[in-house]
Amino acid sequence: MTTGTTPKFTRRRTTTIAATAALAVAVPFAAGTPAFADPNFPSTEGKTNISSIVDFDGLVAELDRIERTSRFDVEVQTLAEVGTAVSMSEQGRDLYVATVGDGPEAVWLQGRIHGNEPYGTESLLSVLKELGTNGSPEWKLLRETYTFHVIPMYNPDGSELNIRHTILQDGSAQRIDLNRDWGVGKFAAAESEAFYEYWTMVDPAFAIDIHHQGLKREYGTGDDVTFSLGISLAPGGPTLPGIEGGAYDVLTRQMQVHVFDELSKYGYVNIDRYQVGGSLEIDIKGGVVSAMMLGLDHDGLNPEGHSNPAIFFETSGNTSDGSLGQKARGKSIKQNVLALQELLVGMATGEVQAEDASRWDEIPHAPVTGYQTDNGVIPIGY
């Protein structure tokens, strides 16, 4: 890991994401049609041993190992080394980022913004290892097309406590949901200030956020859902069509349609759309990836109004309710890694941009009755 150096990247921006190669994806697929999820993936009977999940010390050790053994120049830094004004968590832990690739467009990958949603960390460490060591045509293309900024553990304090939030150290002991803390009048937590400034330094072309959700059944079939696809500003909803002339409304749907098609080829993954309250699409503006799409200018750090499309993935099961299931561990991580790989290669080849965005409506979901916003529900047909 470097000490006292400046980050090896320049400020980048993009208004369109074009195809840069015509390379076919050479990932082996399971034969046959999508199968229903194994009852152990996830399992209400499963009890994941929390001690087996990567903690903060394990993260630091693994990042160090990846950096030392990488063939393609993975660089690991703390935000203190990068030079952000705020650079540590509320409880004084270092905030880590890893960069790899030499491409002209930056990509932002983040996980574990909620401390009790652990597999974002492990999934991103797996992807980072591939980016740093895998010499195959697909990973080479990704390194040549993009520069990756990987944040495997956005919320180290909550991760150590196995809770969703971070806890303010100003004497209030207030719990802050870091995924609702990028917004006007917010930024209560140190982590939010730190990573927001880093985002303004990176100006990514697009972003992907990895989460967990509770156990879930598919609407209409009752089958176990293992993986949900989310866009935090609802496509066709109150907000997203008005951003960048509707470009993100199209591209975010194309991204998730591509992931749905590619992951449906794997028999153990059962996918639907992310919804809340049974039938509501989320349209929140205080979420991190929402603020990215909105081009939030906090504290004058983004005066040019940089914005970027962003999506998120939700793996079913989390540590707070003991629902992960030990047998589901490998599959839970693998579905995230596959989704990231398929999406990133699809973006780099232009396959994603050629998808039919209207097929977002074909991804299993309950009939939409409204939009869950920061200030309540807006009914459909508003």
Side-chain angles (χ1 to χ4, degrees):
M1 299 181 188
T2 57
T3 303
T5 61
T6 55
K8 293 183 179 178
F9 59 87
T10 58
R11 298 173 67 87
R12 305 178 177 93
R13 80 174 346 90
T14 182
T15 54
T16 61
I17 304 173
T20 59
L23 180 68
V25 183
V27 180
F29 295 122
T33 57
F36 298 136
D38 185 303
N40 286 313
F41 181 35
S43 169
T44 55
E45 306 300 323
K47 297 296 181 183
T48 297
N49 182 357
I50 300 301
S51 66
S52 70
I53 291 171
V54 174
D55 61 9
F56 180 71
D57 288 341
L59 167 75
V60 175
E62 182 62 10
L63 286 174
D64 178 66
R65 189 191 68 79
I66 290 172
E67 185 180 47
R68 285 187 291 102
T69 60
S70 67
R71 298 168 56 198
F72 304 110
D73 298 325
V74 172
E75 182 177 18
V76 176
Q77 292 184 292
T78 66
L79 289 190
E81 292 167 343
V82 170
T84 56
V86 179
S87 61
M88 304 187 83
S89 73
E90 282 287 326
Q91 294 182 358
R93 293 183 174 89
D94 279 313
L95 300 172
Y96 281 89
V97 299
T99 58
V100 60
D102 300 307
E105 292 183 325
V107 174
W108 181 283
L109 305 177
Q110 72 175 42
R112 210 165 182 180
I113 195 170
H114 295 139
N116 63 345
E117 300 178 4
Y119 292 160
T121 294
E122 298 184 50
S123 302
L124 289 175
L125 288 173
S126 294
V127 168
L128 184 63
K129 179 181 177 183
E130 295 297 321
L131 286 166
T133 61
N134 195 319
S136 72
E138 293 82 14
W139 294 100
K140 181 175 183 287
L141 170 65
L142 293 179
R143 288 188 296 271
E144 291 176 346
T145 305
Y146 301 120
T147 298
F148 293 91
H149 298 259
V150 183
I151 301 166
M153 189 179 287
Y154 189 112
N155 181 4
D157 295 353
S159 298
E160 288 297 283
L161 294 169
N162 191 33
I163 61 173
R164 179 182 178 90
H165 306 82
T166 195
I167 300 176
L168 298 186
Q169 300 298 300
D170 59 2
S172 69
Q174 182 181 356
R175 293 192 176 200
I176 298 295
D177 184 339
L178 293 174
N179 202 33
R180 298 294 186 275
D181 201 35
W182 279 31
V184 177
K186 296 191 174 183
F187 289 92
E191 297 88 340
S192 302
E193 293 277 7
F195 282 122
Y196 174 81
E197 183 178 356
Y198 187 66
W199 173 71
T200 68
M201 298 166 72
V202 172
D203 283 355
F206 61 93
I208 306 167
D209 190 11
I210 302 179
H211 288 264
H212 286 257
Q213 62 187 352
L215 301 182
K216 186 179 182 184
R217 301 277 187 176
E218 182 181 328
Y219 176 82
T221 69
D223 297 322
D224 290 332
V225 170
T226 71
F227 200 64
S228 294
L229 306 174
I231 302 169
S232 61
L233 295 173
T239 308
L240 196 55
I243 298 174
E244 292 293 318
Y248 299 169
D249 192 39
V250 174
L251 183 55
T252 53
R253 285 181 290 156
Q254 291 173 316
M255 293 165 80
Q256 295 291 39
V257 164
H258 187 77
V259 172
F260 177 74
D261 284 347
E262 297 307 318
L263 261 67
S264 292
K265 298 173 183 177
Y266 296 86
Y268 61 85
V269 184
N270 194 39
I271 308 166
D272 75 351
R273 268 172 37 182
Y274 181 79
Q275 293 176 297
V276 296
S279 60
L280 301 176
E281 301 290 296
I282 60 170
D283 200 81
I284 57 169
K285 298 181 180 180
V288 169
V289 293
S290 300
M292 289 180 177
M293 289 192 279
L294 288 162
L296 177 67
D297 180 16
H298 168 64
D299 206 23
L301 291 173
N302 187 28
E304 70 276 25
H306 170 75
S307 63
N308 58 262
I311 61 171
F312 65 91
F313 302 146
E314 296 269 358
T315 285
S316 294
N318 57 61
T319 62
S320 61
D321 58 13
S323 66
L324 282 175
Q326 196 67 23
K327 294 181 180 180
R329 178 186 179 88
K331 294 176 181 177
S332 296
I333 295 168
K334 186 176 181 181
Q335 67 181 3
N336 279 306
V337 174
L338 289 171
L340 286 165
Q341 182 179 357
E342 297 288 5
L343 176 59
L344 294 171
V345 174
M347 290 290 286
T349 61
E351 291 175 273
V352 168
Q353 297 87 335
E355 297 281 8
D356 179 359
S358 69
R359 291 191 51 243
W360 166 253
D361 290 329
E362 297 177 12
I363 299 173
H365 64 285
V368 178
T369 61
Y371 303 97
Q372 180 65 61
T373 74
D374 306 84
N375 300 311
V377 175
I378 297 176
I380 196 76
Y382 62 95

